Amino acid sequence: MSQELVTFLNARLDEEADLARRCDGDGCGEWTAHGHTVDFGQGELSGFHPTIALHVALHDPARVLREVEAKRRVLARHVLSPAAGDPELPWDNRDDCQFDGETWPCDDLLDLASPYADHPDYPRRA
Ligand SMILES: [Zn+2]
């Protein structure tokens, strides 16, 4: 799987950030729900079940952009430390995560990727 998972995750985060920006996430105001209505900052839509309206408002583009940036910081911490293959360092015979020392890809990266498991490009373990 090596870096394939990181490439996959960066592509998903790029897509989410691009979509959030296209929803004017950098300045349209906060999305809020009021009963059956979602206020998108530049207009309102009604007819939602109140729980669905809350769920839609939760995907406020500015919040999505903050979440994407937080996930990018996690990705930046959990980088591959490739096996050196040095026989003098028997503990260094496997690829691992530079941040936590777990076998690559570490559980944090797998957790970041898990929401996209149904994506056609999701990297499958060999
Ligand atoms: Zn890690």
Side-chain angles (χ1 to χ4, degrees):
M1 192 178 285
S2 68
Q3 290 290 81
E4 188 180 357
L5 186 67
V6 173
T7 301
F8 172 80
L9 278 168
N10 276 314
R12 303 293 73 77
L13 295 176
D14 288 347
E15 288 172 353
E16 289 181 18
D18 179 60
L19 184 58
R21 282 190 206 95
R22 288 170 37 208
C23 290
D24 202 13
D26 293 329
C28 69
E30 184 181 353
W31 289 11
T32 55
H34 311 281
H36 297 271
T37 301
V38 177
D39 181 346
F40 295 98
Q42 299 173 340
E44 294 183 350
L45 282 177
S46 60
F48 295 99
H49 183 282
T51 304
I52 302 294
L54 288 168
H55 183 73
V56 170
L58 186 64
H59 291 277
D60 173 83
R63 192 203 60 77
V64 169
L65 288 171
R66 290 191 303 272
E67 182 175 327
V68 165
E69 289 310 309
K71 289 178 178 177
R72 288 190 197 282
R73 289 191 297 273
V74 172
L75 270 177
R77 284 194 298 271
H78 293 266
V79 294
L80 171 65
S81 177
D86 183 344
E88 297 296 317
L89 303 171
W91 60 87
D92 194 28
N93 62 354
R94 63 178 169 87
D95 291 345
D96 57 19
C97 173
Q98 190 172 337
F99 183 73
D100 52 46
E102 291 182 25
T103 301
W104 183 266
C106 68
D107 287 345
D108 287 348
L109 290 184
L110 293 173
D111 284 345
L112 279 179
S114 65
Y116 309 104
D118 60 349
H119 191 284
D121 296 337
Y122 185 84
R124 304 287 170 208
R125 288 182 187 254

